[in-house]
Structures are given as structure tokens and as C-alpha cells.
Amino acid sequence: MDHVDQPIHLVLTDLPYGDLVSWESGDADPVSALFEHIYPLLSSESAVVAMIADKSQKLGHARYKRLQHFKIGKRQAAIFEPIRETKA
């Protein structure tokens, strides 16, 4: 998805895990690649990204501020907002 008509304000995703579903990617770190790919599509005014994953996946990226993190059984959830560079 390279183009959207309007900025995105919310991304909610449950990342693949376990034996029933596999996530194939040419990237060494597919979670980081996902963060990078959605960054330019997010609203510059306000946007939130919520990710759910198993506990073995590292959720985070340098271009995002983690607002909340929860552990629920064998899963984790985290809420992020993009860090926007301020213009001087």
C-alpha cells in the first residue's frame, strides 16, 4: 500500500505467531519493517498504532513513542504514536 487518499489515524494489528500462521518477509526484522512502511501513511496531526503479538516479538521502533504496554497471558499489546520531526 503506497498510497491512501486520506491520512490514517489508527492502525490496529495482531501480528502472526505460532504454528498455525506464519509471517514470511524478506526483512530480518518484519516488525520494524511494518513500522517503517506505515510511518509515511499516518496522519501528521494525530495517529495511534496498536500492536498485539506473542511475548517473543519485540514491539518498538525508534520513530515511535510507546504510550502503553500490556501483558495478557501469552500475548502482549502495545500502543504507539509516531514521533514527528519538528520544523525549526
Side-chain angles (χ1 to χ4, degrees):
M1 179 186 319
D2 294 325
H3 176 76
V4 292
D5 293 332
Q6 296 181 358
I8 296 171
H9 293 274
L10 173 66
V11 173
L12 175 61
T13 184
D14 187 359
L15 302 177
Y17 69 98
D19 297 329
L20 297 176
V21 180
S22 63
W23 188 1
E24 293 184 24
S25 172
D27 292 297
D29 184 357
V31 175
S32 181
L34 175 60
F35 273 117
E36 278 297 322
H37 286 22
I38 64 173
Y39 186 84
L41 305 173
L42 298 172
S43 170
S44 60
E45 295 176 9
S46 64
V48 175
V49 176
M51 289 191 178
I52 303 162
D54 69 346
K55 290 182 180 178
S56 69
Q57 292 173 303
K58 184 178 179 201
L59 299 179
H61 191 280
R63 296 177 85 179
Y64 292 81
K65 176 183 177 184
R66 186 171 77 182
L67 303 175
Q68 291 286 328
H69 184 258
F70 311 92
K71 292 183 181 179
I72 309 151
K74 296 180 179 181
R75 309 286 287 150
Q76 64 176 324
I79 302 171
F80 301 89
E81 69 179 354
I83 298 169
R84 298 296 182 184
E85 298 170 9
T86 57
K87 296 180 181 179

